[in-house]
Amino acid sequence: MKQSDPSASLFNLKSAIDHRPLTVEPTTSLTDAIAILAKAQSSCAAPSLTLPLDIALRNQSRASAVWVVEGLHLLGYFTEQQALAAINEGLGHSSRPVSELMTPLTLTLTLTPTDTTDIFTALSLLRQHQLSHLPVIDQQNQLTGVISLQTIRIALQFDELLKSLSLAEVMATPVLQAPATASVLDLAHLMTAQQSNCVVLTVATESRTQPVGMLLAQDVIQLQRLDLELAEIEADRVMRVNPPQFSIEEKALVAYWEMQQQQTHYSAVVDTVGNLVGLVDFTHFLTTLDLDLMRQAEAELANSIQTFAKSHPPTVVPTPLNNEVEESAFTVAALQEQLESSRLLASMALHIRESLQIKEILQTAVDEVRQFLQTERVIIYQFNPDMSGTVVVESVAPGWVPALNSTVKDTCFGQSYAHAYAEGRVLVVDDIYAAGLTQCHIDILAIYDVRASLVVPILQGNHLWGLLCAYHCSEPKHWRSLEVSLLKQLATHIAIAIQQSELYQQVQNELTERTRAEEQLKVSLREKEALLKEIHHRVKNNLQIISSVLRLQSDFIRDDKVMALFNDSQNRIRSMALIHEKLYQSRDLLRISMSEYIQDLVSNLLSSYVARSQKVGLTVDADSIHLNIDTAIPCGLIINELVSNALKHAFPTASNQENKVWVTVNRTPDSCFVLTVGDNGIGFPDNLDFRNTESLGLELVCIFTEQLEGSLELAKHKGTQFTVTFKEIGDSARDK
């Protein structure tokens, strides 16, 4: 783990020593030694990185070599590269002792109580002798630990350096590549020949060679442990999925942080057209960057931490003995600061009451907070359901790169911090390098130039909406209790403003949606009205065509009885066509005015029987009566038949009295309708039953009355009068 004491030297070699390396006896068989490496690799956090990066790197280092110890004395070591070579030679299941293939010790580091060797001295030795491990022994040649590139990476903090370097400056080249269809054994030979512990697998496309995955030396060792035939296994069946790819111009720290999020130890580096140009892992830069540059960066960081620690000693808990001193320290400046804090909170509350423009409210809040805290960056960070988030509001001092609208998906946050923030946790960090934060958390803060942070949650009930973050970028900063209290209270005000704005926006969205739905409904109704009008128009035209055909056909008829039948049929068709014409012309497409309809209907009948009805007076009374089309059509056909009968039969001879025919439609109190068709003619024959007659017209009247589910009555006093009582067909259906 990193040093948590800011005054401790970051150059201390002890922090880079793994004191629990894997050890075996000289007589251990190659089979067992390879199995030990495979077992250690399978327990390593790579590639899942479910453990913090520090632990994952330490496990990776530990699983890359076993140390051969006889008694208490160190004899040599056996690495994964040597294991790979043994597998190539068919010795993966050999009982030969590991001491026969181990590498004898050529370089060790002996530490004494007064030793002043630091981390960079050890790193220089590793680079000079091109080693990946440096054993640490005591004066009795006993193994006390191992230093590796991974343990040095754990001990040193390079974020400030790496955020200014591109991947082109830290990547490993050249890249060992091979077809994805090659056998695992062939790739093991290739890695051994090239002294590499990984190979990038590719497939050929029309334009270029496309990387599709990776195979590591430790993968081959794992397959050997499973006793598989490596020569018969194609690499694409067991390869690791294609590692994340980054542009060669991307910052190294961004790539390292993304590698932690995607849970991989390797990234591919590509040029502007997508060609693979290099690989990057968490340690390769230790072998490529200038040592003096790295030493200087670490020295600046160490001095910064130590200076800040000296200038901000631990807070002394007040006691009754120092109350007088404490009261004297409560100066006018402190009182003014508290008043300014109160003013800021009151101003925020006023903004919330006076405005629903949430962006304006939040922007004003972060601007004023940054001025009050005298810090370089204040942001509001909103979470998404998957715990990624976006910087939605920012106030940043000149000279610092804006982070507004940046989206971050930090899996470390969801695992380590989200639950605590949801319960109201406040994170106060005076220096990110001395607070014991996880490496992925440090990396993301360093990417945004954060050195000190004060973070409070923005809660909506039990829901973690986001974070209000104050960041100091140029140096560490000690956050005072007044500043922490201000930010907590401000977060509460912001939560109220957000809730108020979201409720307002919800209402606006509902109104907008309702308006949109109403407009769609109006459009739909207009379309349906137009369609229905067109239907009525077409039906009317078709009926008129039929009527016209009947009229043309009647020109060839000489029999008066047949001619009468044709005329009656034409009248019935016209009575139906007239209803569709009225509906086509009306604004109400569902109901028809019976007064207008009956007037036009009987006028057509008078014209049809003009020779007989020229002296007949016609009366229609159907004011304010409107019927739907299902009721109006049979009702109109009844009127057509009864009025036709009256015009044909009620007045056979001339008479001095005024000949009358009347049609009335009335509504009764119980929502029934009464249709009356009468005349003052000669009357209905006494010996004729209108319900049982050979007259087609009367038979149709009875049929249409049944269709209306009504009743039909005949009165013979001073003429003839038929009365039909019925309900609208729709109303009758509802009553049932």
Side-chain angles (χ1 to χ4, degrees), residues 53-354:
L53 179 62
D54 295 357
I55 298 177
L57 287 173
R58 191 179 300 277
N59 288 347
Q60 185 187 43
S61 171
R62 188 173 295 157
S64 62
V66 292
W67 299 86
V68 182
V69 178
E70 185 174 28
L72 299 176
H73 299 287
L74 177 62
L75 302 180
Y77 56 91
F78 183 74
T79 66
E80 64 180 6
Q81 274 292 330
Q82 292 170 298
L84 201 62
I87 293 172
N88 289 333
E89 295 174 9
L91 302 177
H93 297 292
S94 173
S95 60
R96 291 173 59 183
V98 69
S99 58
E100 293 185 8
L101 273 74
M102 73 176 185
T103 300
L105 292 179
T106 57
L107 180 67
T108 61
L109 183 62
T110 304
L111 290 185
T112 64
T114 59
D115 197 286
T116 58
T117 304
D118 64 14
I119 289 179
F120 285 100
T121 301
L123 178 58
S124 178
L125 289 172
L126 288 172
R127 292 173 60 158
Q128 178 183 349
H129 296 275
Q130 297 183 348
L131 297 174
S132 56
H133 301 82
L134 180 61
V136 180
I137 61 175
D138 59 18
Q139 293 174 316
Q140 286 75 40
N141 195 36
Q142 295 182 7
L143 180 66
T144 62
V146 174
I147 298 173
S148 66
L149 294 178
Q150 289 87 352
T151 60
I152 291 176
R153 176 67 177 89
I154 294 170
L156 298 179
Q157 186 56 254
F158 290 101
D159 292 80
E160 294 298 319
L161 175 61
L162 294 175
K163 73 180 181 182
S164 63
L165 298 176
S166 68
L167 289 178
E169 298 173 271
V170 300
M171 68 182 182
T173 57
V175 181
L176 187 61
Q177 302 182 51
T181 54
S183 73
V184 172
L185 187 59
D186 288 341
L187 296 181
H189 287 304
L190 181 62
M191 284 188 278
T192 299
Q194 298 296 325
Q195 290 296 296
S196 174
N197 62 354
C198 71
V199 58
V200 175
L201 304 176
T202 61
V203 294
T205 64
E206 293 182 359
S207 59
R208 59 191 176 91
T209 300
Q210 176 71 39
V212 294
M214 297 182 67
L215 190 74
L216 306 184
Q218 60 184 242
D219 298 329
V220 179
I221 294 173
Q222 291 283 7
L223 295 172
Q224 175 66 34
R225 181 193 178 197
L226 296 174
D227 199 19
L228 300 176
E229 289 294 336
L230 304 185
E232 299 178 2
I233 302 174
E234 291 186 358
D236 57 2
R237 294 170 53 192
V238 293
M239 69 181 181
R240 299 177 183 233
V241 293
N242 202 21
Q245 295 185 6
F246 296 95
S247 167
I248 194 172
E249 300 174 352
E250 183 63 86
K251 296 299 182 184
L253 187 59
V254 174
Y256 287 148
W257 180 78
E258 186 65 32
M259 288 162 62
Q260 294 176 73
Q261 299 304 298
Q262 298 195 28
Q263 303 178 345
T264 178
H265 274 296
Y266 292 90
S267 293
V269 183
V270 296
D271 60 17
T272 54
V273 295
N275 293 318
L276 182 66
V277 294
L279 286 178
V280 62
D281 64 15
F282 289 109
T283 62
H284 181 74
F285 70 90
L286 293 173
T287 65
T288 58
L289 291 183
D290 183 75
L291 276 174
D292 291 336
L293 180 65
M294 290 190 287
R295 183 186 293 272
Q296 179 183 353
E298 288 299 309
E300 290 176 355
L301 178 60
N303 291 335
S304 172
I305 293 175
Q306 292 174 3
T307 301
F308 179 74
K310 291 177 181 178
S311 62
H312 295 84
T315 303
V316 178
V317 178
T319 65
L321 295 177
N322 60 21
N323 281 344
E324 184 177 345
V325 177
E326 190 173 283
E327 290 177 5
S328 66
F330 193 75
T331 62
V332 174
L335 179 59
Q336 289 178 340
E337 193 174 51
Q338 284 196 350
L339 290 175
E340 179 63 18
S341 173
S342 299
R343 183 206 64 77
L344 195 155
L345 292 171
S347 175
M348 180 68 181
L350 182 62
H351 280 311
I352 294 172
R353 288 196 298 269
E354 293 180 344

Side-chain angles (χ1 to χ4, degrees), residues 631-681:
T631 307
I633 288 179
C635 187
L637 289 170
I638 291 173
I639 295 171
N640 177 83
E641 299 302 328
L642 294 178
V643 172
S644 296
N645 280 347
L647 294 176
K648 288 190 294 184
H649 304 298
F651 312 107
T653 59
S655 174
N656 293 330
Q657 69 176 7
E658 182 181 359
N659 297 329
K660 295 182 180 180
V661 175
W662 59 89
V663 180
T664 63
V665 182
N666 298 312
R667 186 192 298 270
T668 65
D670 58 351
S671 298
C672 290
F673 294 93
V674 178
L675 166 65
T676 302
V677 180
D679 63 73
N680 61 349

Side-chain angles (χ1 to χ4, degrees), residues 514-572:
R514 181 174 297 179
T515 301
R516 186 187 64 81
E518 289 176 353
E519 288 299 321
Q520 288 182 341
L521 184 59
K522 289 178 181 178
V523 171
S524 178
L525 287 175
R526 286 194 293 269
E527 292 174 350
K528 291 180 179 178
E529 288 175 358
L531 178 61
L532 197 53
K533 280 179 175 289
E534 180 65 19
I535 291 173
H536 287 309
H537 183 61
R538 289 176 181 266
V539 171
K540 184 262 297 183
N541 287 346
N542 290 336
L543 290 173
Q544 285 183 338
I545 290 172
I546 295 172
S547 178
S548 298
V549 170
L550 290 176
R551 182 183 62 76
L552 291 173
Q553 186 68 36
S554 66
D555 291 342
F556 301 94
I557 297 175
R558 300 293 179 263
D559 190 313
D560 291 341
K561 290 184 178 180
V562 176
M563 178 65 73
L565 292 175
F566 267 76
N567 288 338
D568 290 343
S569 296
Q570 282 183 277
N571 290 334
R572 291 168 185 139

